[in-house]
Amino acid sequence: MNALGAKTLTTPADLADAGLVSAADLPAVTALSARYATAIPPNLVRLIATAGDAVARQFVPDKREFDSAPEERADPIGDHSHSPVKGLVHRYADRVLLMPTLACAVYCRFCFRRESVGAGALMQAELDAALDYIRATPAIWEVILTGGDPLVLSARRMGAIMDVLRDIAHVKIVRVHTRVPVALPERIDAALIDALKRSGKTVYVGIHCNHAAELTEDVVAACARLSDAGIPLLAQTVLLKGVNDTVADLENLFRALVAARVKPYYLHQLDYAPGTSHFRVPIAEGQALVTGLRGRVSGLAQPTYILDIPGGAGKVPVGAAYMSPEGDGGYIVRDPQGTAHAYPPRPGDDCSPV
Ligand SMILES: *Cc1c(COP(=O)(O)O)cnc(C)c1O
Ligand code: SF4
C-alpha cells in the first residue's frame, strides 16, 4: 500500500516510509513511540503533504519531546485527584467528564493527557460503574464525553451509552469532545449521528481544531452533517507555537470555523504536560494575540482564552484585562487599539482619551 494512501501511520517505520521522519531521527522517534501513543490517519497524512508545518508539528513525533521542563507534570490538571470511579472525572458539581475510551483517531504531540491516552476502552463493568455514579448523583446536569476520543467508539457502543443517559432524568445536556471530524471525517455518518441523538438530551459536539488548514472540504462536510442533524457545534483550540501563534492564523481559523457553523468556544493555554515546552506560548503573548483579534474580528469568532489551573483548581479566563480600577470608584478602560478612556466619563470629558 502507498504510504500516502489509505493507511493510518502508527509505527516509526510507517512515519519514515511516508517521509515524515528522517533516518537520523528514527532512533529518537522509536524511543518516543515506546512512551507516547502515535497515530496519523490518512486524511491528516495527506494534509501534512499539502499544508506543511502547522499540521505536521501537531502530530509527528519530535525529539524535543524528551525535554521535560520542571513545571511539567504527568497529570497537569489533576484529573486523577478528582476521579471518584475509573473513567470519570468530577471536578465541578454540575458536570462530569466520562471517558469511555482512551484511544484517539490521531495523537496530538501536545496532549494534556498524553501520559494516559492510547489505552483502550473501559471494560463493560467499569463503564457501568461510571454510569451508576452519574445516575446516583442528582447534581450532575451535564455529561461530557471525552477521553481519548469518544467518537472512535462504534455507533453501537455509543448508542448503548446514550440509551443509559436517556433514562437519567437529571442529566439535561450531553457534550462530546472530539477530534474525529478533523481526523477521520468519514466516521461522522448517519449511524453515529443517530447514536448520538439516542439520548434524547440536548447534545453539543466540541471539535478540537487548531489551524484553518484542518478544515478541508471533507471536514467541513462532516461538520455540516452534525449541524444539519440539529447538533450545535463548538470548537476548542490549543494555542501552539509554530501552529497558530499569530493574529492572522487565529483570525483565519476562527473565521473558517464560524463559516462552517462551528462556534469557537475556548482557546486553551497549553497545559504543562511533559515534553511540550517547544509548543508553549507565554500567557502575555496569548493575551496580546486575543486583544489583537478583539479589534478586528466578529464577536462570533472570539473564543474565551482559558487556563486550566495546574493541579485541578479549575478553568479560568485569562484574556487581557481591559478595565483597571481608579480608586475613586471609576475605572480606566482600554479600547482594542490600546487607547485609555475614563469610565464613567468625567464631567466635560465625555469618555475621551485620558
Ligand atoms: C474542562 C473540564 C470541564 C468542562 O469545563 P467547561 O468550562 O464547562 O467547558 C468539566 N470538568 C472537568 C474536570 C474539566 O477539566
Ligand atoms: S485527540 Fe484530544 S485526547 Fe487525543 S491526543 Fe489529541 S488532544 Fe489528546
Side-chain angles (χ1 to χ4, degrees):
M1 194 182 320
N2 180 341
L4 288 179
K7 173 175 164 183
T8 294
L9 312 182
T10 56
T11 66
D14 291 342
L15 296 167
D17 288 348
L20 295 178
V21 168
S22 68
D25 286 346
L26 197 54
V29 166
T30 302
L32 274 173
S33 296
R35 174 152 181 206
Y36 298 117
T38 300
I40 312 181
N43 178 59
L44 291 173
V45 176
R46 284 192 295 274
L47 194 60
I48 288 170
T50 55
D53 255 18
V55 179
R57 282 176 66 89
Q58 297 184 55
F59 309 119
V60 178
D62 185 305
K63 53 188 177 215
R64 284 173 292 183
E65 292 168 44
F66 285 119
D67 306 336
S68 244
E71 60 278 16
E72 293 174 347
R73 43 182 99 183
D75 179 24
I77 63 168
D79 282 344
H80 297 328
S81 51
H82 293 82
S83 180
V85 283
K86 191 172 174 191
L88 191 136
V89 181
H90 196 185
R91 185 195 298 161
Y92 304 103
D94 75 332
R95 56 209 192 275
V96 286
L97 305 184
L98 174 62
M99 302 162 166
T101 180
L102 287 171
C104 296
V106 62
Y107 292 99
C108 310
R109 306 314 300 182
F110 49 85
C111 176
F112 68 116
R113 294 204 182 103
R114 62 187 324 217
E115 299 283 346
S116 45
V117 294
L122 291 180
M123 310 288 285
Q124 189 60 46
E126 294 167 336
L127 180 59
D128 291 344
L131 291 165
D132 286 346
Y133 178 91
I134 294 170
R135 190 182 295 107
T137 313
I140 299 172
W141 172 81
E142 180 181 20
V143 174
I144 303 171
L145 274 76
T146 180
D149 197 319
L151 295 192
V152 305
L153 296 179
S154 66
R156 185 186 59 78
R157 299 195 67 190
M158 179 58 73
I161 294 172
M162 293 295 161
D163 284 343
V164 174
L165 294 177
R166 186 184 54 221
D167 294 334
I168 303 178
H170 54 264
V171 172
K172 306 294 186 198
I173 309 292
V174 174
R175 194 191 329 169
V176 178
H177 280 298
T178 179
R179 205 149 172 42
V180 162
V182 167
L184 285 176
E186 65 277 11
R187 268 197 77 79
I188 309 296
D189 60 10
L192 190 58
I193 291 173
D194 284 351
L196 288 176
K197 297 190 73 172
R198 285 247 292 275
S199 69
K201 312 288 182 183
T202 296
V203 178
Y204 282 75
V205 169
I207 300 172
H208 175 180
C209 184
N210 298 327
H211 194 276
E214 292 166 42
L215 291 162
T216 61
E217 209 176 299
D218 291 348
V219 172
V220 170
C223 294
R225 292 194 288 280
L226 289 162
S227 286
D228 289 347
I231 298 175
L233 303 180
L234 309 168
Q236 299 204 93
T237 298
V238 184
L239 182 58
L240 297 166
K241 195 195 279 184
V243 175
N244 57 20
D245 60 337
T246 67
V247 174
D249 285 327
L250 294 173
E251 175 174 347
N252 291 339
L253 170 62
F254 298 142
R255 285 195 197 281
L257 285 166
V258 171
R261 290 185 277 169
V262 185
K263 170 74 184 88
Y265 175 59
Y266 282 161
L267 174 66
H268 291 272
Q269 176 65 18
L270 181 65
D271 295 314
Y272 280 119
T276 58
S277 55
H278 55 295
F279 282 116
R280 196 159 288 106
V281 177
I283 287 195
E285 227 176 276
Q287 290 175 327
L289 290 169
V290 297
T291 303
L293 276 180
R294 176 53 65 185
R296 48 193 265 182
V297 181
S298 162
L300 286 174
Q302 310 272 353
T304 302
Y305 183 28
I306 205 97
L307 170 72
D308 220 314
I309 301 172
K315 293 182 178 67
V316 287
V318 290
Y322 293 93
M323 306 283 280
S324 38
E326 271 294 84
D328 58 357
Y331 294 85
I332 295 293
V333 55
R334 284 185 191 279
D335 65 35
Q337 282 67 44
T339 305
H341 306 265
Y343 180 89
R346 290 172 188 152
D349 194 27
D350 213 20
C351 217
S352 56
V354 292

